[in-house]
Amino acid sequence: MNSSFHRNIAVATGLLLTLGLATACSSGKESSGGDAVDKKVDGKISLTYLQKQGDQEYFIGEAAGAKAKAKELGIDLKVVNLGNDANKTVSEVQSAVAQKTSGIIIVVPDPAVGPQVVQTAKDGKVALLTSDDQICTTGPDPAACGKDDLVPRIGFSGAQMGGEVGKRAAAEFGKAGWKAADTRVISAWKQDVTVCGDRVSAAKKTFDAAVPGVKTINVPTDNTPTGAQDKIAATITANSKVKNWVVWGCNDENAMGGVTALQNAGIGPDHVIGVGLGAYLACKEWQTDKKSGMKAALFINGKDVGALAVQTMYDKLKNGKNFPQEAFAPTTMVDHSSWKTAGLTCG
């Protein structure tokens, strides 16, 4: 059990005390944070985009897409990197409200801050939209939240993405001619992030339907390459007799961390099927003809999400168009032979 769990409990408890039992017991009839603003903006729109892990390549792309769309629409846009700091999240939301921003788009580093973020935006009469990860208006855990209490979100469909990952992993398994008894699946993700759970659950369901009998090992990580590598390395050591490995996770970081851990354990690429989610790290394995355990990855373009989030907020503030509960950007499966033609740039 890691320290973030204890931190989440402490934050969540404080939030419930702050917001009161009436909020915690909401029937869900109240509109979500994004719908708290009904008035159109007549003048120039200003937006604040708050991102976790803003130095990660996916989120750099997301910021670039948001900035390009904001420029096109004549919006003043401020992008803030929250890192993984829950306290900074709250203070930056408060700062944005104080600076009279028209709307806030947020990717939270910790879903436990959700109720406080929502309440702060609501009190300031600022429109609120999430991208990528979900937050709940009434509690710290979006997975335990009623649909009506989730803040509208722009991103990708976790079920669709995970299904594509599982489908490709099954196809690679069939191509390799492996036996179920000789194989294990490593499924790695940060287990308090709802969208991560959606992705890996869908991957397993699709894979198991096509390839029955392969055991799955669930590995909790912090969603970083080094964090995933360390946790998966321990899993490999504890299962030293396994011949073949399938690796997937919430994002490219988990898959790449797993592929690296297997490589460091002396397991060759012919015995590894890594399927990433993002492709921004996977593509680095494909820049030469050297064999890799990373066989494919689902390309998710952060630029598309950033642009769609800004457009959606603009439509709300300028035209009074209600937020969709969720809106999804497109995805594409890529590999060594196709990643360049798919439009993926590899930094």
Side-chain angles (χ1 to χ4, degrees):
M1 187 175 292
N2 55 39
S3 60
S4 67
F5 176 85
H6 296 290
R7 175 170 52 80
N8 287 354
I9 293 297
V11 171
T13 302
L15 291 177
L16 291 176
L17 289 172
T18 300
L19 297 176
L21 291 176
T23 302
C25 298
S26 167
S27 66
K29 296 295 183 181
E30 291 182 3
S31 58
S32 62
D35 289 332
V37 177
D38 297 321
K39 197 173 177 182
K40 294 182 187 178
V41 176
D42 293 328
K44 190 162 189 174
I45 291 173
S46 63
L47 299 181
T48 306
Y49 210 130
L50 306 175
Q51 296 177 302
K52 72 176 184 183
Q53 299 172 337
D55 56 352
Q56 186 196 82
E57 192 161 343
Y58 169 82
F59 290 114
I60 291 171
E62 184 176 76
K67 289 173 183 176
K69 180 58 70 172
K71 184 177 180 181
E72 175 191 324
L73 297 173
I75 293 170
D76 285 334
L77 176 69
K78 179 182 179 182
V79 178
V80 179
N81 178 12
L82 301 172
N84 287 306
D85 191 335
N87 291 326
K88 184 176 183 181
T89 304
V90 174
S91 64
E92 289 291 347
V93 171
Q94 292 170 339
S95 176
V97 170
Q99 292 169 19
K100 306 297 184 184
T101 191
S102 308
I104 295 171
I105 305 168
I106 188 167
V107 194
V108 293
D110 186 339
V113 301
Q116 191 169 359
V117 166
V118 170
Q119 193 64 45
T120 302
K122 185 176 180 180
D123 290 346
K125 294 183 171 53
V126 173
L128 178 66
L129 183 65
T130 63
S131 70
D132 303 289
D133 299 342
Q134 290 177 315
I135 60 173
C136 180
T137 65
T138 57
D141 182 6
C145 188
K147 185 177 179 181
D148 290 342
D149 292 324
L150 291 170
V151 175
R153 180 179 78 93
I154 305 299
F156 297 99
S157 165
Q160 182 269 332
M161 288 193 299
E164 290 296 319
V165 169
K167 180 181 176 182
R168 183 56 181 258
E172 293 290 339
F173 181 95
K175 192 190 306 181
W178 294 352
K179 294 179 180 178
D182 299 331
T183 307
R184 295 291 182 273
V185 172
I186 289 176
S187 181
W189 77 102
K190 191 172 188 290
Q191 297 187 347
D192 62 351
V193 177
T194 312
V195 293
C196 288
D198 293 342
R199 295 171 189 179
V200 297
S201 294
K204 176 175 169 53
K205 182 178 179 180
T206 305
F207 182 85
D208 287 351
V211 185
V214 180
K215 293 181 180 178
T216 298
I217 303 171
N218 296 322
V219 180
T221 74
D222 61 359
N223 276 356
T224 68
T226 53
Q229 183 179 331
D230 291 345
K231 291 294 184 72
I232 292 170
T235 300
I236 297 164
T237 300
N239 295 271
S240 58
K241 293 183 180 180
V242 174
K243 182 179 179 182
N244 303 311
W245 294 90
V246 178
V247 184
W248 64 59
C250 178
N251 53 17
D252 251 29
E253 283 80 358
N254 282 289
M256 196 69 251
V259 168
T260 302
L262 288 161
Q263 180 182 316
N264 291 346
I267 299 168
D270 289 339
H271 296 280
V272 179
I273 294 172
V275 182
L277 206 163
Y280 44 84
L281 295 182
C283 65
K284 295 177 182 180
E285 292 284 286
W286 303 329
Q287 291 179 321
T288 69
D289 291 330
K290 184 179 177 181
K291 273 191 171 184
S292 171
M294 186 67 83
K295 298 300 191 290
L298 192 67
F299 176 30
I300 57 174
N301 194 340
K303 289 182 179 179
D304 292 340
V305 172
L308 182 57
V310 169
Q311 181 69 61
T312 302
M313 182 64 83
Y314 176 87
D315 290 342
K316 167 74 173 175
L317 296 174
K318 186 60 71 173
N319 304 318
K321 184 178 179 181
N322 288 335
F323 287 141
Q325 191 60 40
E326 288 188 301
F328 301 131
T331 61
T332 308
M333 186 63 71
V334 296
D335 56 26
H336 185 279
S337 65
S338 64
W339 68 273
K340 289 181 180 178
T341 56
L344 174 59
T345 57
C346 204

